[in-house]
Amino acid sequence: MRFPKAQLVFVVGVLLATWAHAGLFEDDEARKAILDLRQRVEKLRADTDQIQTSSKDENAGLGRGLLELQRQMELLRADLASLRGVNEKVAKDVADLQQHNKDEAQSLSERLSKLEPAKVSVDGVEFVVTPAEKRDYEAALAVFRKGDFVNAQSQFSGFLSRYPGSGYALTALFWLGNAQYATRDYKEAIVNFRSLIAKNPEHLRAPEAVLSVANCQLELKDSKGARTTLTNLIKAYPQSEAAVAAKERLASLK
Amino acid sequence: MRFPFVSTLFCFLLALFSLPSSAQFRVEVSGVGLTQVPITVMPFKGQATAIAKISEIVQADLERSGQFRAVAATHGALDEVSLPDLSVFRRAGSDAVVSGSVSTLADGRVDVRFRLWDVVKGQDLGGQSFAVNAADARLAAHRVADYVYEKLTGDKGAFSTRIAYVTKSGPRYQLWVADADGENAQSALASPEPIISPAWSPDGNQLAYVSFESRKPVIYVHNVSSGKRRLIANFKGSNSAPAWSPDGKTLAVTLSRDGGSQLFLLSATGGEPRRLIQSNSIDTEPVFSPDGRGIYFVSDRGGSPQIYKVGVNGQGVERVTFTGAYNISPSISQDGRWMAYISRTGGAFRLHLLDIDSGNVRVLSDTAADESPSFAPNSKMVVYATQSQGREALMTTTLDGKVKARLNGQNGDIREPHWGPFLN
């Protein structure tokens, strides 16, 4: 396609006119706007830099804080573990000590019971005896039970002189009298039976002791004395088994 | 390394092995037991031409148990049908005599026969005969030793059982299954990467172990007779320390898949593991108690590695070891009375034995690098790995520590023993 020459000149002229007009009226304003914008951009950049710097600092601080927290957690974890270990050991030690204490206490009480006074009950009377007292009394009684009346006498006599205030004393007197009766030492037997009755007429063995006195008197051919003794026995202890025996004995004496 | 008991596991992996491996062992008995039965094991008739010197194997077995003292044979040939002149043995100080014979049958099998005599009472204590494949001649000898042991001590003998162990020579790791005296080893697996922690299943047919062949620890269960194996645990992180429940249905394992080494229970056929306990410590090396109700394990929850016990339901953790600051690798005897374990004392890692009921502890070794103790199924002996003269070796010891025998690798370093169950 070809343009005619005149047409071309016109078009160029119009274009130039338009450009000249724009330059005349808007150049300064645009320049100002650009400068203004440039300034704003600069300011924004400065602001951003500042924000970046400060947030970098903050981040670094946070990181350090986190590391420190982590470190502290590790320390706590290690502390906790060692405390748990100590606790486990202490718990075990306490358990061992408890066990040990129990064992000790048991063996102590076993050993002490051999030394400590203990409550016993003989012939309906309760009293406290020392281990030695108990041992000696039981030894004497064992000799009597074996039928060794000679040794039983010396054992019971020995017992009575060693432990005159013993709770076993009256019972010991009873067995001593019996041992003496068995060895035909009737006079001494009567003394001991009477001593028992005098010390405690309410003693469980008292009626039997009275009966034994009568038996001794009969052995000594003192039938009058025996009769009196038996009569007194029936009067004093009417409910006793000994009284029943005394009645039979009296009847046979008549 | 932060947790030293993990590092002992790995020092084995890093250790340099310079000698080629071999399956052959020699038994050396040292130490003196207090009440040993003096016994004469006569050379078996025909054993000079047989595959195995039966009488020597029997004698070594009996001596290793610590219950017997060998008295040399004073005169020549005797077999299971001869009527021995017991007064000769009595004069030599023997309380018992074993005599027997070995012969090869027409089909190639080996016939081992023997008789046991009580010299003191002048009594025939019976005998047996085994016709076995030639390859099992040593097994027949171990059965003879089992018979003698049971007749004279009243306890079941464990000589005809098997042990598993690992050797390394050059870059080659091998898992072996051997007789209880360490000999007659058959290779179960060879790998250029480490194999550790073999553990026998209660029926003696399978071995669980950890293999690094995929460049990380994973757990396999390996059928010993078929050689077939299956991958049991290959989770993220490490998979280690398998231990069988007494019924063979469950494995206790250590997994780090959720971070940190923690104990899990896993079906022996695989599948999803169940967490046994949750802790923020390292929990590892589980072993079941023989009644299957508890699991012993190692944990550093108390600041140093100690052995603990927990119910199989994960409840009721209680500490078991209190002497020493470093106790690892528990093994519980089948009768439930004893726990063998490794304790560090004065810088040395030594085999210790705990009387579980009384809490009393005794040291069983005077070596410095003991590892991996494992009880014989009759609860009377312990096999363990140690270093002797700069070499890795396996030792057996009696429970009083008085009689030890070295299962002596001629050409290799041997580690990670695990004593198998009774075989029927």
Side-chain angles (χ1 to χ4, degrees), chain A residues 205-220:
Chain A
R205 298 282 186 188
E208 272 182 81
V210 180
L211 184 63
S212 297
V213 168
N215 287 340
C216 288
Q217 287 168 324
L218 284 172
E219 293 292 343
L220 291 168

Side-chain angles (χ1 to χ4, degrees), chain B residues 167-223:
Chain B
T167 59
K168 192 203 172 191
S169 57
R172 190 174 158 89
Y173 292 85
Q174 267 183 291
L175 174 64
W176 300 90
V177 172
D179 288 1
D181 59 0
E183 305 219 23
N184 200 25
Q186 313 289 318
S187 176
L189 180 72
S191 169
E193 300 296 333
I195 304 162
I196 57 169
S197 308
W200 284 101
S201 65
D203 63 6
N205 290 330
Q206 302 183 94
L207 275 171
Y209 55 78
V210 175
S211 170
F212 285 69
E213 65 202 60
S214 52
R215 301 274 164 175
K216 63 170 271 194
V218 298
I219 300 171
Y220 287 92
V221 166
H222 192 117
N223 187 302

Side-chain angles (χ1 to χ4, degrees), chain A residues 74 77-78 80-86 88-89 92, chain B residues 2 280-281 300-303 306 308 319 322-324:
Chain A
E74 277 304 311
R77 199 196 293 262
L80 185 66
S82 75
L83 281 174
R84 187 186 281 124
V86 168
E88 287 165 348
K89 272 209 120 127
K92 164 76 170 168
Chain B
R2 188 172 155 210
N280 53 17
S281 343
D300 71 341
R301 62 188 59 209
Q306 295 290 348
Y308 293 77
R319 185 160 153 185
F322 288 95
T323 52

